[in-house]
């Protein structure tokens, strides 16, 4: 069965500092990986996704993530964060395991301080 | 209207009430989903519909009853709920039901059961 672990429930960081939000997954088959962001009082929206090809994926708002198959990780990074990046970030995995389900992690709360 | 809309945005109901949540997608997608989002927990997939047919019921109690009259509309009928059912209920849609399709989420209905 697939699973997703987001290693940090909360990440406080100062404005303009770099940030990395960690995500590890477990799956025995090919996977598709996603990062979603949820701003207060809103639904989730896609930041970026890895389906195949280049392991470095660039998304919206200056975020990027790197797929590391050997470490089963898909960490999200941004070189310089803004106050407006304060939100909840969800890593998700899906794959061909006899189902189509997307499994979401528990989320990481990014709090950007001035 | 664009994207995925949900009404109402907030709902307070007693345990003996009957109410319905509505979701509408304006994206021409074929798959629609209901999720439950509780604090500090991963998103819980409840139901999936593809081309109006239910393809997934994730062991959801019968006090939650979904309805999908067409590919654009999805309802969640609620009756005799419990206080632990209080949560944010998110609707999502995707082009089709497949592992590599990203999902588009509505803003959610914040449900409080008293």
């Amino acid at each position: 069965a697939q699973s997703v672990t987001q290693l940090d429930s909360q990440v406080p960081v100062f404005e303009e500092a770099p940030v990395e939000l960690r995500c590890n997954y477990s799956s025995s088959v090919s996977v598709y990986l996603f990062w979603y962001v949820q701003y207060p009082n809103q639904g989730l929206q896609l930041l970026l996704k890895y389906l195949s090809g280049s392991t470095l994926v660039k998304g919206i708002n200056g975020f990027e993530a790197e797929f590391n198959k050997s470490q089963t990780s898909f960490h999200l990074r941004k070189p310089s964060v803004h106050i407006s990046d304060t939100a909840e970030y969800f890593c998700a995995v899906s794959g061909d395991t006899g189902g189509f389900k997307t499994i979401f992690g528990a989320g990481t709360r990014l709090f950007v301080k001035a | 209207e664009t994207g995925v809309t949900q009404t109402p945005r907030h709902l307070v109901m007693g345990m003996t009430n009957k109410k319905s949540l509505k979701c509408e997608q304006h994206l021409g997608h074929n798959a629609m989903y209901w999720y439950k989002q509780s604090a500090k927990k991963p998103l819980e997939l409840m139901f999936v519909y593809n081309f109006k047919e239910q393809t997934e019921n994730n062991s959801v109690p019968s006090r939650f009853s979904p309805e999908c009259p067409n590919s654009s509309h999805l309802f969640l009928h609620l009756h005799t709920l419990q206080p632990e059912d209080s949560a944010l209920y998110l609707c999502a849609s995707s082009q089709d039901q497949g592992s590599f399709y990203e999902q588009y989420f509505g803003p959610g209905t914040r449900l409080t059961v008293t």
Side-chain angles (χ1 to χ4, degrees), chain A residues 4 6 12 18 20 32 34 36 38 41 46 53 55 58-59 61 70 79 81 84 90-92 100-101 104 109-110:
Chain A
V4 178
Q6 291 186 243
E20 179 179 81
Y32 308 110
F34 307 81
Y36 288 83
Q38 185 178 30
N41 301 314
L46 184 73
T55 57
K58 293 189 183 297
N61 301 340
S70 62
V81 294
S84 59
F90 294 91
C91 182
F100 55 85
K101 289 182 189 179
F104 288 84
R109 173 81 176 154
L110 175 64

Side-chain angles (χ1 to χ4, degrees), chain A residues 34-38 42-46 90 92 102 104, chain B residues 2-6 23-25 27 29 33-37 43-45 88-94 101-108:
Chain A
F34 307 81
W35 275 100
Y36 288 83
V37 60
Q38 185 178 30
Q42 295 185 29
L44 282 69
Q45 66 181 85
L46 184 73
F90 294 91
T102 299
F104 288 84
Chain B
T2 58
V4 181
T5 57
Q6 290 186 245
C23 174
E24 184 173 2
Q25 58 96 0
L27 301 167
H29 289 168
Y33 311 77
W34 278 117
Y35 287 91
K36 177 183 179 182
Q37 186 179 29
L43 263 67
E44 299 174 47
L45 178 65
L88 183 68
Y89 288 84
L90 292 166
C91 174
S93 69
S94 63
Y101 290 109
E102 66 194 75
Q103 294 179 27
Y104 293 76
F105 286 80

Side-chain angles (χ1 to χ4, degrees), chain A residues 13-19 63 78-83 85 110 112:
Chain A
V13 63
F14 285 102
E15 193 174 20
E16 297 183 6
V19 71
F63 284 93
K78 186 169 182 177
S80 175
V81 294
H82 303 289
I83 297 287
D85 292 322
L110 175 64
V112 181

